[in-house]
Every structure is written in structure tokens, then in C-alpha cells.
Amino acid sequence: MASGTGRTVPPAWLTAGLRPEPAPVPWPATVRAALALSLPLAAGLALDRPAEGALVSMGALSGVIGDTADAYRMRVFNIAVPQLFGALGVTLGTLVFGHGWLAVATLTLVALVSGMISSIGAVASASGLLLLLNAVVGAGLPMPDPWWKAPVLLGLGGLVVLALTLLGWPLRRAAPERAAVAATYRTVADLYEAAGSEAYQERRHAVTGSLNQSYDLILARRTRQHGRTSSLARLLAQLNVLIPLLEAAPAADLRARRHGPLPPAVAATVRALADAVEHGRAEPAAPVLPPSDRPSDKAVEHALRHAAAVVHEARTHPHDVDDRLGRPASLAVRARRATRTMLLSAPSWRYGLRLALCIGLAQSLVSLIAVPRSYWVALTVTFVMKPDFGSVFSRAVLRAVGTCLGLVSAALVLAEVPRGWWDVPVMAVLAALIPVFSAKGYAFQTAAVTPVILLLSDALNQQGFDLVLPRLYDSLIGCAIALVAGYLLWPESWHSRIGDRLADAVADAAAYVALAFRPAAPGTGATETTASGTGADAARLRARRTLYRDLSAVRSEFQRALTEPPPTGTRAAAWWPLAIAVERIVDATTAARIRVAHGAPPPDPAEVAEVARELRELADGLRATDVLVPVRAALPDDEDGVLAPLRQEVRAARAIAGPELPPDGP
């Protein structure tokens, strides 16, 4: 697209990943990376075994990249489990090294399994990645004899990262969990501060992500413990009481848009509670808020008082905690569910087959043609084809750019720095840049990792500067294979599934509308801000949390699609306003439910059914067409009822897209 000055500007979908993300320097991770990768090199040089030291550093590199969790127990899981799969991978690769087409067949099968495993979850994704990466390395590089030495050395590198990570455990223990819960409180404070402004939606997205992370940390920790501890129960209780505050937030936003900003004391009180959570204080103090007769203000006040009472409670009994979102299943049950999902899921097989095809082509190519440093081709394919890391197209472009940037620094190091003990301080500096650059984006991470891997490869093969150009050729070949066999040849690359995902979200929103205003069971008398709630309330809360999680996934899917070239990127950009409209519909539903719970007249069941029907029709229309078609909204014009804001949001959504109705349609 040409600018006003006549210069050609690259399209946004091509340059989006080249803009560094703002992120603070993760100093602890930086120090760990420097030590974990440089100490094994120093030990190898001291023992006159530089190749073995380089293998340990390679294992440490995998641990550094995979150490992305906050809680210590999760970090043990995130580092240790992928290392086991990595040991299996390098063992398989070593056994087929030099066996030609047997190696091709083995790596293709490993790629299929790796791709299917990656569909289970974050830890499984990292495990699948390391399984395939180490299998490729083992099949492409001569490893020291006997066959078991390479997996032991690579696993030892992971143990080095794990040991450095756990040094702070005796002093901090539950500090990451407390910090996560406190951070969630602060995002809620920011949300209330933004009520009535255009920043409200972005703040709500931040709350959803933070709440998901906090629940994942605490529930994962609780699942690994057979009983409930007092400290864990207290954290769970403090997190649970945020739900009434989040339920009241949409009503508060609507109130702020109509009557002006909320009292500053609301956000200040939530931030004070965040400090109390983080430091474990129990100093009872009732929040001071101006009186109000509006249902939304009463909902906020009740939720704040309940949150303050729970946060400042000196001791929480493990069995007194109301688990409003349901207890997680046991590890064995979840493992069976994950295995069944992996084996029966169409997306799992699709990704496994795509990855297997690309790896098979890469290995076949290097078996038929003398490609220098051939294992880099399959390594590049593996990194580019990771589905949960972003768009295949954009990752291929970004990896090519990042590789070129990394080769500049690698060329300087290999050309100017003498081999030997100078490798240790150089490795410490280069390794320290990995956590810093990883937070900036994929291209920057590639630029940081490239010189580290080349330096380690040089320690194994002693080829010096001759590694640089073959590394570039192999990376470009791998990117080309991923683009053609992993992107262009698959119809779903050109016909994005975002429409189906969005249609599912609209249908779920319709079900949530019906559930939100379902009459309570006789005699319960429960309110929104009670600590326990009824079974219907618990079901509604779980449905709302599930819906917000799904909307967060849809939003991530859209953001990934926006980085694709046309037509996928342009279609995602056209449908993006409808995704925002669905989020606003869920917020408006919650706001109406809160107003009813605090004194507003309940809506007519027929009106609720009509709104739900409109949303179901919209979902059906989205599944039937790939083109956005404006339609007439058939909702009545009653603007005085509690559902008036919700009907406005539904009309706005149907004005953006929906089924094409005949002139006499409903």
C-alpha cells in the first residue's frame, strides 16, 4: 500500500510480528539462562570434554525456553516432563542415525505423534516439540557412544535449569500463587477504574487472562495434593470472591456510561485488597463507599464487603471454601480424557498429518540431495509448524527474518572470538539475551537463539565460520517447505475456521442468556454475592467462566488470523467487530442479571426467549455463509426494561452480520 509520500509500506499482516512487544526485563530468568548454558561449557572444558559440555548446554537451552510458568510446582512439571520426552526423542534419533530411509520413516512417525500430543495442552505441546526436536538432532548429528549417553547429557542440562529454578523455593514457596492472585485483584481494580470508558473492554480481556492464569496455577497445585492445605484454601477463597465483583462489573460499566464515573474508592479498595493478598495480611477493615440506591452500586458494594471479609480472614479452613467453579478431576481421569481427545479429535489428526508431511518431505529432501547441515531443515520446519505459537505463514516469515538477524551476531562471534574458554563468557551473554528477546516476539527470540545454537554446534563439530551460510540455507529451505506443504496445500489455511468458532460462541451466548434468567429454585433465596450460592447459581457461574474462556480463545484465534495474508486476514478483519459484539452481549447479560438480583424488575420469560432465539438465528447464519450480510433485527423497541441494553447489543451484532432473511422473514 502506498503512503502519501509515495513510499511503499508493507501490509500490516506481514509486519505485525516485527514490532517488539513492550515487556520488562525478566532478571531472574536472565541470570538462570546465563548460568545454565555457560556452566556446562566451563565444566566440559575443564574436564577436556567440550562436546559433552555442549550437549548438556543444549539440554539446558530446552529447559530455559520451556520455563514459562510462575508457580514452582508448575515449573517443575513444565521442565521435567518435556525433558523425558526429549530423552526419548534423542534416543530414537540416535538409533536411526545414518540409516537413510529408516530415519525418514521414523522421524515422520515421530512427527505425527508429536503433532497429536501438542493438541492436549501447554505441557504436552512443549513435550511434543522437544520429542521431535531431539529426534531430529539425534538423527542428524553423530552422538557420543554408547547410545544412552546423549539422552543422559541432554537430560542433565534440563536438571541444571530445574536446580537453578528451585533455589528460591524454600524462601518463596507459595509466593508465585499469591502474586498471581494479587495481580488478578489489580486487573479488577483497573477494570473498575475504566468503567464507562473505551478502555473497559481491553481491561476486561486482561482480567479474563489473569483470572484464567490464577485458577490454572491454584487448581493445578491443588490437584497434585490429596488434601487441602490452609494456605491453599485461603488463596482459593480469595480468588473465588472476585467472581461477584466481576459479575457486578458490567452493571457498573453501564451505570458509569449513564451517570458518570464510579467513586474512586471502589478501585482503591480493590487495590488495597490486592496488597493484603500479596503480603498475607489479615487486618479487618470495612470498605468506605458512598451510599446509593442503584442496583449496580449495591451489587458492587455487597461484592466489595464480601471480598474484604474473606481477604482479611485470619484463617480459612480447607473444607469451608466454596468451590464455585467445580473441583478438577484427578490426574488419571484427566489423562484418560486427554488421550481420548487426542485420538478422536479431527484437529489433532489434521495437525499431526501436516507436521508429519512436512518432516517427511524435509528428511526425504536431505536424503536425496546433499544439503549441508541437513538436520537444520527439519528443525526449522518443527519450530515454524507449532500451531499454538501463531500463524504458520507469519512464523515462517519471522523465522527467516530472525535467522538473518541472529546470523549477523553469530558470524561476528565465530569469526572473531577464539574457541575455548572464551566460549564461556560469550555463551553467558548470548544466553542471557534469550529470556529478554523471547518476551519481545518470535522473530526476536529466533534472533537470540540462533547464535547460541550455532556456538553449541561449533563445540560439537568444530566447523567455525563455515556453519553460518549453511544455517541460513537450511532455514530458508525449511521455511519454504512449511509454507508450501504445511500452509498452501491445506484448504483450512485459505478457508479459516474462525467463522465456525465465532458461531459456536454466539450459540453459547444464547444458552447463557437463557440460563442467566432461569427462575431460582423455590425456597433458596440466594443472591449473587452470597458465599455459597445455589446449584443454579453455580451452574450459571461455571457457564459464564467457560464462555469467557472460549471468547478468549476466539479472540486469540482472530489475532492469529489477522496475521495471515488475504483472504484469511481480510476476512478476520471484517469479522473482528462481530467478535467484539459477542463479548459485549455477554457483558450486557451479566449486567442485567446483577440488576435483577439487586432489586430491578425481572424480565418477561418470553422476552428472554426472544433474545436467545435471535442469537441462535445469528449463529445458524454464521455457519451457513462466509460473507457478512447485514440483516433486520426483529427485537421489540421496549427501552425501559432491564434487558434494554442487552437487546441493543444484540441488534448491533445482527446489524454487523447474520443470515440473509427474505423480505417476509421473522
Side-chain angles (χ1 to χ4, degrees):
M1 180 176 64
S3 66
T5 60
R7 292 182 293 109
T8 300
V9 179
W13 54 264
L14 185 61
T15 61
L18 298 177
R19 292 188 293 269
E21 296 289 337
V25 177
W27 291 111
T30 298
V31 174
R32 279 196 302 272
L35 293 176
L37 270 73
S38 61
L39 290 181
L41 279 184
L45 291 171
L47 298 174
D48 198 24
R49 295 179 178 270
E52 282 83 350
L55 278 176
V56 176
S57 292
M58 277 190 174
L61 176 62
S62 301
V64 166
I65 296 176
D67 184 18
T68 57
D70 294 318
Y72 282 104
R73 290 172 176 82
M74 289 295 291
R75 294 168 79 177
V76 172
F77 203 60
N78 283 8
I79 296 174
V81 173
Q83 290 295 328
L84 295 177
F85 280 84
L88 175 62
V90 76
T91 301
L92 293 174
T94 301
L95 293 178
V96 299
F97 173 76
H99 285 75
W101 291 106
L102 177 61
V104 174
T106 300
L107 290 182
T108 302
L109 180 60
V110 170
L112 175 64
V113 175
S114 170
M116 297 183 69
I117 290 175
S118 298
S119 66
I120 296 176
V123 176
S125 178
S127 300
L129 173 66
L130 206 54
L131 170 69
L132 181 55
L133 286 180
N134 284 4
V136 170
V137 171
L141 277 176
M143 293 292 168
D145 291 326
W147 63 268
W148 51 262
K149 182 177 285 188
V152 169
L153 292 175
L154 289 171
L156 181 59
L159 290 178
V160 170
V161 177
L162 190 58
L164 292 173
T165 299
L166 297 180
L167 287 178
W169 194 346
L171 300 177
R172 302 184 73 226
R173 291 189 180 272
E177 288 89 349
R178 286 201 307 271
V181 175
T184 303
Y185 270 78
R186 293 189 178 99
T187 60
V188 173
D190 294 339
L191 179 69
Y192 273 94
E193 204 167 48
S197 71
E198 295 301 321
Y200 176 84
Q201 287 298 325
E202 285 299 323
R203 299 288 172 82
R204 189 187 61 72
H205 299 148
V207 170
T208 299
S210 181
L211 191 67
N212 290 345
Q213 180 185 19
S214 296
Y215 267 116
D216 288 345
L217 288 177
I218 293 177
L219 294 182
R221 177 180 170 187
R222 188 184 65 177
T223 301
R224 290 188 294 274
Q225 297 180 355
H226 296 289
R228 292 189 180 189
T229 65
S230 178
S231 61
L232 183 58
R234 185 179 183 189
L235 280 175
L236 185 58
Q238 291 169 344
L239 192 57
N240 282 343
V241 295
L242 278 178
I243 295 177
L245 272 172
L246 294 177
E247 290 258 298
D253 177 56
L254 180 62
R255 176 258 189 228
R257 291 179 185 275
R258 291 180 173 179
H259 305 290
L262 298 178
V266 174
T269 300
V270 179
R271 288 198 175 91
L273 293 178
D275 294 337
V277 169
E278 188 165 23
H279 298 98
R281 294 198 301 264
E283 304 167 356
V288 180
L289 299 173
S292 177
D293 294 330
R294 295 190 182 96
S296 58
D297 288 340
K298 288 196 294 183
V300 173
E301 180 182 359
H302 293 171
L304 274 178
R305 293 189 187 282
H306 179 50
V310 172
V311 167
H312 292 303
E313 187 176 356
R315 182 178 178 83
T316 302
H317 192 277
H319 298 285
D320 289 340
V321 178
D322 170 47
D323 195 345
R324 311 181 74 172
L325 300 182
R327 299 182 182 183
S330 66
L331 185 59
V333 171
R334 288 185 293 141
R336 287 197 298 270
R337 289 175 182 171
T339 303
R340 184 169 59 250
T341 301
M342 178 189 71
L343 294 177
L344 301 179
S345 167
S348 171
W349 279 98
R350 276 199 306 269
Y351 173 59
L353 291 173
R354 288 173 70 177
L355 184 57
L357 174 62
C358 292
I359 292 295
L361 288 175
Q363 289 299 118
S364 299
L365 175 67
V366 300
S367 296
L368 295 172
I369 303 174
V371 178
R373 315 299 303 157
S374 59
Y375 67 95
W376 281 115
V377 178
L379 284 181
T380 300
V381 168
T382 303
F383 278 116
V384 171
M385 287 294 296
K386 279 294 290 177
D388 49 347
F389 287 172
S391 159
V392 170
F393 181 90
S394 63
R395 284 173 62 80
V397 174
L398 295 176
R399 184 161 184 86
V401 174
T403 298
C404 293
L405 294 175
L407 284 175
V408 174
S409 57
L412 293 175
V413 170
L414 293 175
E416 301 297 332
V417 178
R419 301 279 68 81
W421 282 99
W422 277 104
D423 289 342
V424 177
V426 170
M427 178 60 68
V429 173
L430 294 177
L433 296 177
I434 294 177
V436 178
F437 280 31
S438 295
K440 302 294 183 183
Y442 179 67
F444 301 94
Q445 182 190 55
T446 302
V449 170
T450 296
V452 171
I453 297 181
L454 284 179
L455 193 61
L456 294 176
S457 298
D458 181 54
L460 288 171
N461 298 279
Q462 303 296 323
Q463 290 188 341
F465 190 79
D466 293 337
L467 283 171
V468 176
L469 287 181
R471 173 69 173 91
L472 177 60
Y473 301 152
D474 295 341
S475 294
L476 295 179
I477 293 172
C479 290
I481 291 175
L483 278 176
V484 175
Y487 182 80
L488 297 178
L489 296 183
W490 294 82
E492 65 186 56
S493 299
W494 300 98
H495 302 285
S496 174
R497 301 173 62 86
I498 54 177
D500 293 337
R501 296 289 302 273
L502 189 54
D504 292 340
V506 174
D508 291 342
Y512 176 60
V513 168
L515 182 62
F517 300 101
R518 182 178 299 168
T524 57
T527 65
E528 289 297 308
T529 54
T530 56
S532 58
T534 66
D537 281 340
R540 181 178 52 76
L541 289 172
R542 284 193 293 270
R544 177 180 173 274
R545 286 286 298 124
T546 300
L547 182 53
Y548 271 124
R549 275 184 180 263
D550 291 344
L551 287 174
S552 178
V554 170
R555 187 179 181 86
S556 298
E557 186 74 20
F558 265 88
Q559 290 172 338
R560 183 159 50 239
L562 288 171
T563 64
E564 300 275 9
T568 299
T570 52
R571 183 175 295 128
W575 285 36
W576 179 246
L578 182 57
I580 301 300
V582 176
E583 295 177 346
R584 293 180 63 88
I585 287 172
V586 178
D587 281 347
T589 304
T590 303
R593 181 68 183 87
I594 287 296
R595 294 177 63 200
V596 170
H598 288 83
D604 187 336
E607 185 182 9
V608 175
E610 180 69 14
V611 173
R613 184 186 66 81
E614 292 283 338
L615 289 173
R616 286 193 295 270
E617 285 185 357
L618 177 57
D620 293 340
L622 291 175
R623 294 190 180 98
T625 180
D626 288 335
V627 181
L628 297 178
V629 181
V631 298
R632 174 174 58 86
L635 290 172
D637 294 329
D638 179 14
E639 299 299 331
D640 298 325
V642 71
L643 292 189
L646 173 59
R647 290 200 312 274
Q648 291 173 2
E649 297 297 346
V650 173
R651 279 197 292 268
R654 286 175 62 88
I656 297 171
E660 187 171 9
L661 300 177
D664 57 349

